[in-house]
Amino acid sequence: MFSIYITAFVVGGLICVIGQLLFDVAKLTPAHTLCTLVVIGSILDGFGLYEPLIDFAGTGATIPITSFGNALTHGALAEAEKHGFIGVLTGMFEVTSSGISAAILFAFIAVFLFKPKGDV
């Protein structure tokens, strides 16, 4: 049981190390790093490699931002099999809509609870 936690920690940590290396070594901006990690997760899912990673690492692979790319591609491919090209467009949002909606809602609430720092 304890090895599950160690595996999740190591895999999640390695994904974070990749992101940190993109910051420090490649000198990418946070936005470029975010997009790069999402695209990496999407590519891995397209080749069928992200699901085995999730089976191996559990939350170590589902918590980092790479899983968002996985979810987008997974939903798009699943709906494309059912509905063709239009499924590609609708499938990715069907799977991720609750996460996107929650992020927008909590950001909206945070604006009212905390004083923004900056000239707005």
Side-chain angles (χ1 to χ4, degrees):
M1 173 101 173
F2 188 68
S3 65
I4 295 170
Y5 299 121
I6 298 296
T7 305
F9 177 78
V10 169
V11 172
L14 287 174
I15 293 171
C16 293
V17 165
I18 292 169
Q20 192 64 47
L21 288 173
L22 290 172
F23 277 137
D24 296 339
V25 176
K27 304 291 185 200
L28 293 181
T29 65
H32 287 105
T33 302
L34 174 82
C35 292
T36 301
L37 291 173
V38 170
V39 168
I40 288 170
S42 182
I43 290 171
L44 287 174
D45 187 60
F47 286 117
L49 300 174
Y50 207 84
E51 289 299 319
L53 181 65
I54 290 173
D55 293 339
F56 173 71
T59 57
T62 57
I63 297 297
I65 194 66
T66 50
S67 69
F68 185 69
N70 168 52
L72 288 173
T73 303
H74 201 74
L77 293 176
E79 290 297 314
E81 289 179 9
K82 294 180 189 174
H83 304 292
F85 181 73
I86 196 71
V88 172
L89 302 175
T90 61
M92 66 178 87
F93 297 115
E94 184 178 316
V95 173
T96 60
S97 63
S98 61
I100 294 170
S101 300
I104 292 170
L105 176 66
F106 291 131
F108 185 74
I109 292 170
V111 167
F112 291 111
L113 295 178
F114 304 102
K115 184 179 178 184
K117 295 180 181 175
D119 297 330
V120 180

